[in-house]
Amino acid sequence: MGPFSAFVKGGALYGETKVSAGPLSDVTPGKRRGWAPVFGGGLGYDFTAHHGVVLEWSRAKLRFPGEDERRKVDTTSLGYVYRF
């Protein structure tokens, strides 16, 4: 695709969620750690053979304190790529 590229990814991550709440709220405070499935994809553009940028999106399904079901947590990043 010339200077453009596309990719998908999948795997697992080890993460920690932290929740803090006031004493009168109906939210369970605390920490929860564990493995979570993750998937995503992205697009890249190479300015030269050594320099480029990548835009990436991923979704992990993490557990939060006081909840049994996983919640979706999305991240988006823009990165600089240097190849040597």
Side-chain angles (χ1 to χ4, degrees):
M1 295 183 351
F4 294 96
S5 62
F7 65 91
V8 295
K9 68 177 188 173
L13 68 84
Y14 184 80
E16 176 181 273
T17 56
K18 296 179 187 178
V19 176
S20 59
L24 300 178
S25 71
D26 192 24
V27 176
T28 304
K31 293 181 189 177
R32 194 151 185 191
R33 296 181 184 107
W35 289 96
V38 64
F39 66 92
L43 300 171
Y45 179 76
D46 294 331
F47 300 112
T48 68
H50 297 286
H51 303 277
V53 292
V54 63
L55 177 64
E56 180 178 330
W57 170 84
S58 65
R59 171 172 286 170
K61 292 192 173 185
L62 301 171
R63 287 193 171 101
F64 286 80
E67 299 181 8
D68 291 328
E69 297 206 19
R70 295 177 184 268
R71 283 191 178 190
K72 298 172 190 170
V73 177
D74 294 342
T75 60
T76 304
S77 64
L78 178 64
Y80 168 75
V81 178
Y82 176 75
R83 294 179 188 87
F84 51 95

